[in-house]
Structures are given as C-alpha cells and as structure tokens.
Amino acid sequence: MSQLLRVATAGSVDDGKSTLIGRLLYDSKSIFEDQLEAVERTSRQRGGDSTDLALLTDGLRAEREQGITIDVAHRYFATDKRKFIIADTPGHEQYTRNMVTGASTADVALILVDARAGVLEQTRRHAFLASLLGIPHLVLCVNKMDLVDWSEARFEEVKSEFRDFAAKLDVHDLTFVPMSALDGDNVVHRSRAMAWYQGSSLLHHLEDVHIASDRNLIDARFPVQYVIRSGRSEYRDFRGYAGTVAGGVFKAGDEVLALPSGSSTRIKAVRGPGGEEVSEGFASSAVCMELDDDVDLGRGHMLVRPNNRPLVGSEIDAMVCWLTDDSALRAGNRYLLMHTTATTPADVVTLDYRLDVNTLHRDSPADSLALNAIGRVQLRTHRPLFFDPYRRNRVTGSFLLVDERSGATVAAGMITGPTPASTGAVWSSSRIERDQRTTRGATVWMTGLSASGKSTIAAELERLLVASGKPAYRLDGDNLRHGLNSDLTFSASDRAENVRRVGAVAELMADAGLVSIACLISPYRRDRDEVRRLHKAAGIPFFEVFVDTPIALCEKRDPKGMYAKARAGEIKGFTGVDDPYETPDHPDLVLHPGDGDCATQARKIMELLSA
Amino acid sequence: MSATYQLTHLGALEAEAVHIFREVAATAERPVLLFSGGKDSVVMLHLAAKAFWPAPIPFSVMHIDTGHNFDEVIEFRDATAEASGIDLIVASVQDDIDAGRSADETGPGATRNRLQTATLLRAIGEHRFDAVFGGARRDEEKARAKERIFSFRDRHGQWDPRKQRPELWQLYNGRHLPGEHFRVFPLSNWTELDIWQYIAAEDIALPSIYYAHRRMVIPRDGMLMAATRFIDLLDDEEPFESLVRFRTVGDATCTGCVNSAAADANAVVLEIATTRTTERGATRGDDRISESGMEDRKKEGYF
C-alpha cells in the first residue's frame, strides 16, 4: 500500500518552479493527453516553438491575464511507491502568507535556486520559513545547471553557501540536487550530463525520504472534536468521543486523564471510522473512543496520559505570521484564538519584536505587524489552553487568530512555550567572551541501547582527551540519576526531562571550555534534536555519536541483568524491549561493534573533535 | 516499532475527510450534503455515515435536479436515501424555469448545467444552510486546484479567489456573518483513481451506468453522447449501439460516456490507472466552453 507525501514548493518565479512541477508531472507520466493538448495549443498561440510545461500549472483567468499569481494551487501525482500532494506556493510578493498557507502540513519543502544566481535573499527567506514551520525535510534544488555548463564546482559553491546559512536555522535534513528542470536532468531521471553527481534524482529522493518518524508518537494527545450519542436502538447507551489523534498512541485499556476536569478513566474501546474496533489510535488517525466511566468531556477538551501531560495555561509565548492587509496586529488587540478543537478569546499582551525575514534580525521595538510580517508575541487567553511547543507537536502547538467581527483568519501562530516572563528569571551575561577562555569546549552526545558499549568508549575518550591536555568530563546517565536526576522515572516525559537537564549541564560545561561527554540511552530523537538545537543556537559544537550495537548483542552482554528483568516483565518500559529506540537520522558518527576495540572507537571520536 | 503507526494513502485521505465532516457537524448551524447519486457524492455519503457511526448522519442531503438525469441515477438516488433513512431535499431547476427565474438554453449544445447555480443559491437561501458539502476534487480542473477545503461564499454565493481564507494545519475557520455560507469539500485531496480504489476497497454500490453496458450513442464534439430523450439529433447523426460506461454522471445533455468493458470496480481501477485523459476532458462538455468555464461558474456561485 502506498503512502501519502505532502510537498511544498518555494523559490522565486524566475527560478523555474512551474517548469519543475510541469517536468515532475510530465516525466512521471501524470499528465493527461487533454491537458497536454491544451498546453501545446497555448504554447503555439504564444509563438513558442516547444511546449512550455510551466503552463500546466497556470491557474486562474485573472492570473493569466495579469501575469500574477494569486494563490496556492494543489497538484497530485503518484508513482508505484507514493502518492504526492504538491502545494504549489507562488513566489510572488505575498510570499510569507502564501508559503505558510501552502506549507503548514508539508513533509518536504523544495526550494529552488538558479545555479547562476546562487543563494538569494528569497532563498534565505524561504528556508527560514520552512524551518519556522517545522517542515522536517528540505531539498535545495539547484536548477538551470545547463546554463553553468553542468559545473560541479558551481554546484559545490551554491551548496556550501546555503549550508552556511542553514546552520543558523533549525534544519535537520537537508538534501541538494543539481538539475535542469527545462531538460529534465535529475528531476525524474538521472542526468547523463552530470556524471559527477552520485545522489538520487529529485523524484527518487521524494519516493524514499523517511517520514514515518516525523510525527510525535510519544506524547499522547486527543482533542475531543465531537461527541457521538447513538440514535439507534441497538446502541442505545453508546457514547463516543470522536476526534483526530494529535500525538502519540492510545490503546484500549490505557489509563487516560480528561483535561480540564482532571478526572481519570480508562479507554474501553478505540474505534475507527465506521465503528470497527482497532487495536490503537495513533497520531493523524480519526477515531472514536469509548471510555469506562462517564466523565465531564466535550468539544475543546483533551484526553492525555496521566504521566505525560501537555502544558496548561493562559499565558502563551508564540511566533505569529500576519496574513491580512485589512488590519494590523498591535498590543492590546483582542482576537478569537482557534487551537485544536478549542476556540477562546485572546488578548495580545505584548509584541516583543518583529523579525526581519531577510536578515533574521529582530526589529525591536515594533508596534505593529502588517501583511506578511512575522513577530513574537505574548498572548493571554480567556480560557486555558492544553498545548505543546510547536517544535514538539505541529498540531497541539499551532493556532489561528480570527477577527471577531468579520470572521476572517488574520494570523497563523506557532507556540514557543508559556510566557517566559512568568518565571521572573533574567539572563545574566558574563564579562568573559568565549574566545577569551583558555580552551574551547564541545559536547559529544553518545546515544545507543543499554549495554551497547557507550560508557566504555566514553571512559576511554575521556582518558585520551585529558592525556592530550584537553579538559574533559563524562556525564554518565546512570551516575546522574543518583544526584541531579534522582527525582526522575523512566516515563517518556521524565526521560525527556532527563535529556533536557543533561543537555543543559553539558552546554554549560562546554561553554566553560570543557569537552562534555554525555552518555545516555536518550531513546527519543526529538529530545536529542532539541539538545542539538540549543547547542547550535548558543554556537557550541555538538557531535551526536550513535553506538549502533544490535540488540541481540546488547542482550547477550547484559552486564546489569536489565534485559533479563525486562523480558521477565519485572521492569516495564525498557528501551528495546517494550519501549522504542529511535535511531538518529543524521548522526555525526556511527560506531559499530565491528569497528575495533574501545580504544580504536574512542580515537575515531577524537578525530571528529579535531576535524 | 513506529513503522507500524502509518496510515496508507487511502487511510490518510479517509481520516482527513472524516475529520472535516465532524468539524462541520460540530461548528455549523445548518449543514447539508449535496447528493446527486454520482460516484463522488456516494463516497461522501459513505464517509459521512462512517464519521458519525453509530449515530445517523446529522444533516440532510440535497439534490439540485436539472430534470435531465439518467433514470438509473435517479432510481439509485431515491433507493439510497430510502435505505439510509436520511432526509432527501430535491431542489428542481424546472421549478425555477416554470417560475420564470431561469430560462432554458436552446440549440444543439443546450444544457441546464449553468442553471443549477440559481437553483442551488435559491435552495441554500430558503433552507438557511450555512455549510454545504460538495464532492469537488482539486484534481478535476485548474480553477478547482486553487480551491480551499472550507470555501467562503459571500451573501450572493459568490467565490472570490482573492478573498480566500488562508487554510493551515487542521484548523478550519468556518465563521461567517448571517447570509454568508461555506462550501466544504472533504474530497479535495482525492484523485479520480483514489475514489475508485476506495469504492473497490469499501465495496460501495454505485448507479449501474458507471459500469460497462450496451447503449445507443452518438459521437458529438469528440465525445460519445448517450442517445436519450433529452438530446435532439442533428440531421447527420445516426445513433449506434456500443459497450460503454460513464466516468462522471451529470446532466445527460453534456455528460459523455467512454468505450469500456470494465464491469466492476476493480476493472475500473485498472482502466483509470492506465487512462490517458482526464474525466472532465473526456466526458464533460461544459468544461470545453472556454478555458475559464469552471472559474467563471464558480464566481457565480457554482459548486
């Protein structure tokens, strides 16, 4: 069975976006004869000697007449492996509004650049928006390679230029494809003209890109959308809570907590559309839940797991994109805020700054946000929201602002967290610059299953570093659970907190000039990625080392007898046995048991640090 | 482990449509589902029933009847309404013609397709519907490719592509002033092939003319028109019998059929997967009128 992939395109008009989409459709044989005939006819009428594939995506009469692009269009095509939905977002002036509209649910963003022009302001703007919207995968399509003589050197130049910029953003998966959309090189078929390019064609990349782990399957969130009561005699007492799972997994028998009432109950049955009982409801599936007890629950409420609750509150810190030119956002304004299935009035308490999308500089003080502007705001909602930061969950972290009088959607918002001022803490700056310290620090983050050999390699690495005159310290997950983290359990949320704390300590030590070697199972990719993001934001080198030892070997070693206990059911939620381990998508180094003894492996990490 | 928590593409499309049905039922005052007996509206009805199981569908269905329908489709429409126990409203174009609000087109290309708009808007106003489900898909036509799932319509039922509301995440804003309404398209992201794969997978019953049958046809304007009582033959036209099926069913005056031996849903899936023409290009005369035919009708208040 094929999978659905949502793609958003970006890039300015002249970069060849319409031609690329036309080429994808044409070469994947997704164009129908009557559509092609229409395009050929129009091409001839305009005096062209070849078929202009860009015309395939030309939409409305007003757009053709005025040569402008009004709005996002959706295109569909399929291969044997996947079905694709392309949100074709126009690159014209209304860039921010159009791109957020087309890209909020995208798995992959395609950004086009002209190989001759390289990275432009527009490219940076679109990459920033893709990162702000949390699109998990980014492809830079370096187009018009035919006009730079298929030059590998030019491709590498554009690539490194973009990589430098992307390093400032929250981009995890970045792919570069050199192409000529006009001729079809590396779009669907590999190019003969660029034998030096070893990667996939764009279409093959889109067919293969791994999206299964992009959703949050850890934090169980179920916003109640609609309450179903039966009107039929054979289901007289039926009461079901219908909705779309916003995160995690819910199974029959699970203990759940109803928010805001706080009452807890168990799930009696999870039913798919049509009433069929299913073994579980997971992120993005539409289900209907029956519960053991009658609890106070309706639209706008949320079911969660008792040991993993979302943030609850009325003070929200968020980034918003302003989407209308009928009005502007100002502090003191009131809007309706739509978040999951809840709608509540919300006041703009402060507008902290407006972001210059081109330079990423913060323009503060700013007193308003006009069309296409992005800014950071503090909001106060009249009823509390149940939310997660957007980067953790795109569903429970997003909202719309609606004009109360006209009903128009005026802004899209992404929650950063609770309003920071509520903690009262202020950042205190040091009088020493990082460059003034005697040594430069870094963090080595070692992740892998229990008994994979992390600690042994880490101990050897620590010894090697200190012997070579580099101050280093090992932060061992087990050791830290005796002190700093003695209050934490092994639930998903406590594991996240464990990783967060160790990440923060590692960052402080690295800032002080030490090499911190954090050595934790850290099973969830999101938690590790967040530590990486914070390091990057602070400008501290961060290396993720994945100790990739097969579970069978770990279980054979089992020095602490943990696997045996987990298999016997004495320990619940043990990573690799009845809890998942998410392998890193882009580790800086992978160590396999066959790579040599622990000294050899530790030296590989030394090389990484000195590179 | 996480690999198992994955919807297939049909599962994902179904979940999205079910979410939309529930959202409208929870937020709109008076929703209605447009139901013609055509394959897209039959799939819509099937999805609506699944969304609210075990409760009945919490809204009525409405057919804008041009009076030029295939008999098999009308029989199917009535039998389906009867069996599912839903309230069927029929708004008739003939009533508007009789009352002098609309005028029939004349001549060989005459169709009542355009006249549906006036009847639809009248019925929406009379019943004070504020959310009208339609089976339109974005893959059908280029103006539809630009359509939102929640499509805002002003007091006059008109669509203004410049005034569309941004649509992000799963957040659908259906707020409106009195007199304004929304057209809601749960099948926006489905293609013709998806519809047929779903019909095959869910074993959904359709009017018989969707499957291969013998009937009298006339070639006209590059299409095969069914020789029905609604079509006046031109002097040089001679109907002949052929094995055909319909890819869309609408007004019999502008809906053509195609030569086909596909006798069940699985055979149609195979046929659609290899066909080289769109359903509208092959069989809808109304889309051939001009390059902007659909866009212009949408602006007037069409689906």
Side-chain angles (χ1 to χ4, degrees), chain A residues 2 6 31 33-34 61 63-64 71 74 76 83 100 104 215 225 244 274 287 299 390 407 409, chain B residues 5-6 9 16 19 22-23 50 138 145-146 148 165 169 173 189 194 276 278 281 292 295-296:
Chain A
S2 60
R6 294 174 193 257
I31 306 280
E33 278 165 14
D34 50 315
R61 178 200 287 269
E63 293 177 321
R64 286 191 302 273
D71 220 322
H74 290 83
Y76 302 82
K83 310 275 291 191
V100 298
S104 64
R215 288 161 309 147
Q225 188 184 16
T244 302
V287 295
R299 182 171 167 87
Y390 183 79
T409 302
Chain B
Y5 296 127
Q6 201 63 44
H9 87 271
E16 182 180 70
H19 179 83
R22 289 170 173 170
E23 200 62 15
K50 290 184 87 168
R138 287 169 174 156
K146 299 241 163 188
R148 298 282 195 258
R165 286 186 182 166
W169 301 292
N173 173 11
N189 287 321
D194 296 329
R276 299 303 306 141
T278 64
S292 308
E295 181 184 348
D296 295 341

Side-chain angles (χ1 to χ4, degrees), chain A residues 304-435:
Chain A
V304 301
R305 302 273 284 133
N307 61 353
N308 179 345
R309 304 181 189 201
L311 296 160
V312 179
S314 302
E315 313 264 314
I316 311 290
D317 175 25
M319 298 296 292
V320 296
C321 302
W322 197 250
L323 303 171
T324 178
D325 52 9
D326 291 337
S327 62
L329 176 138
R330 282 174 216 284
N333 289 3
R334 174 171 300 178
Y335 301 100
L336 282 178
L337 184 146
M338 292 178 67
H339 171 258
T340 65
T341 55
T343 300
T344 167
D347 299 314
V348 180
V349 180
T350 58
L351 168 59
D352 299 347
Y353 58 81
R354 182 173 52 220
L355 200 71
D356 184 324
V357 192
N358 300 319
T359 60
L360 303 190
H361 286 144
R362 297 168 180 189
D363 301 337
S364 50
D367 59 3
S368 69
L369 293 182
L371 177 65
N372 290 321
I374 292 176
R376 186 160 195 159
V377 295
Q378 308 302 323
L379 301 170
R380 186 177 300 120
T381 58
H382 292 203
R383 277 190 299 281
L385 301 182
F386 322 116
F387 63 95
D388 296 286
Y390 183 79
R391 68 176 63 257
R392 197 163 172 90
N393 189 319
R394 279 162 100 177
V395 182
T396 54
S398 57
F399 62 87
L400 300 180
L401 294 181
V402 172
D403 182 299
E404 241 171 321
R405 272 173 301 178
S406 70
T409 302
V410 292
M414 286 147 280
I415 300 175
T416 318
T419 290
S422 54
T423 67
V426 223
W427 186 261
S428 150
S429 299
S430 174
R431 292 176 64 185
I432 309 224
E433 301 269 323
R434 199 171 288 142
D435 287 344

Side-chain angles (χ1 to χ4, degrees), chain B:
Chain B
M1 156 167 189
S2 59
T4 56
Y5 296 127
Q6 201 63 44
L7 292 169
T8 63
H9 87 271
L10 284 182
L13 292 172
E14 181 188 67
E16 182 180 70
V18 162
H19 179 83
I20 293 162
F21 274 115
R22 289 170 173 170
E23 200 62 15
V24 170
T27 59
E29 303 241 327
R30 295 174 66 84
V32 69
L33 187 151
L34 292 177
F35 182 77
S36 63
K39 66 180 185 310
D40 299 316
S41 60
V42 172
V43 166
M44 294 252 288
L45 196 64
H46 182 85
L47 286 164
K50 290 184 87 168
F52 302 104
W53 181 97
I57 297 173
F59 36 79
S60 307
V61 303
M62 178 163 74
H63 183 212
I64 306 300
D65 189 345
T66 63
H68 289 171
N69 295 287
F70 293 98
D71 298 335
E72 297 90 333
V73 179
I74 294 299
E75 278 165 29
F76 180 89
R77 177 196 78 182
D78 294 339
T80 304
E82 173 88 37
S84 60
I86 40 175
D87 175 34
L88 171 71
I89 300 165
V90 177
S92 169
V93 170
Q94 190 64 51
D95 289 348
D96 290 282
I97 294 171
D98 294 346
R101 291 183 292 257
S102 295
D104 239 342
E105 291 180 9
T106 53
T111 152
R112 287 184 167 181
N113 221 19
R114 280 187 93 97
L115 304 188
Q116 289 182 90
T117 303
T119 305
L120 171 68
L121 294 177
R122 171 179 62 77
I124 290 173
E126 276 176 14
H127 294 274
R128 289 181 289 113
F129 292 128
D130 61 347
V132 182
F133 289 107
R137 310 187 318 263
R138 287 169 174 156
D139 79 321
E140 285 177 273
E141 208 276 338
K142 52 187 176 293
R144 291 214 160 136
K146 299 241 163 188
E147 180 64 280
R148 298 282 195 258
I149 290 173
F150 270 49
S151 178
F152 176 77
R153 301 301 168 109
D154 68 12
R155 256 165 221 290
H156 311 290
Q158 296 174 114
W159 181 66
D160 181 349
R162 282 190 177 75
K163 292 242 166 95
Q164 299 205 77
R165 286 186 182 166
E167 203 157 79
L168 298 101
W169 301 292
Q170 296 167 14
L171 296 168
Y172 299 105
N173 173 11
R175 295 185 73 87
H176 60 85
L177 300 175
E180 299 169 344
H181 73 273
F182 275 82
R183 304 285 169 83
V184 182
F185 303 113
L187 304 181
S188 284
N189 287 321
W190 297 52
T191 63
E192 185 188 12
L193 183 59
D194 296 329
I195 293 286
W196 277 105
Q197 286 175 331
Y198 191 71
I199 288 167
E202 298 274 308
D203 199 15
I204 300 172
L206 289 184
S208 57
I209 64 170
Y210 275 109
Y211 301 110
H213 59 288
R214 296 207 154 269
R215 78 159 57 222
M216 299 302 283
V217 295
I218 328 150
R220 185 184 279 185
D221 297 337
M223 295 191 296
L224 275 186
M225 303 302 293
T228 62
R229 60 184 181 278
F230 310 114
I231 287 190
D232 295 329
L233 293 183
L234 302 177
D235 289 344
D236 56 344
E237 284 178 340
E238 188 65 45
F240 59 87
E241 198 186 75
S242 189
L243 186 64
V244 296
R245 67 172 203 88
F246 286 81
R247 283 176 76 179
T248 68
V249 302
D251 195 273
T253 56
C254 63
T255 306
C257 48
V258 292
N259 285 310
S260 169
D264 60 37
N266 285 312
V268 175
V269 167
L270 287 176
E271 184 184 284
I272 299 289
T274 53
T275 186
R276 299 303 306 141
T277 46
T278 64
E279 62 182 273
R280 291 209 157 252
T283 65
R284 288 304 273 266
D286 47 333
D287 290 337
R288 301 175 163 215
I289 299 163
S290 84
E291 211 180 341
S292 308
M294 174 69 80
E295 181 184 348
D296 295 341
R297 274 177 290 144
K298 277 166 64 69
K299 283 181 180 162
E300 290 166 12
Y302 193 66
F303 314 128

Side-chain angles (χ1 to χ4, degrees), chain A residues 444-445 447 532 543-548 584 586-592 595 601-608:
Chain A
V444 175
W445 192 273
T447 171
R532 176 196 292 271
F543 303 95
E544 189 176 27
V545 176
F546 174 31
V547 183
D548 187 10
H586 303 281
D588 300 279
L589 181 67
V590 182
L591 296 173
H592 301 282
D595 291 347
Q601 302 207 3
R603 276 195 294 276
K604 285 197 175 187
I605 305 177
M606 288 286 278
E607 285 165 26
L608 193 68

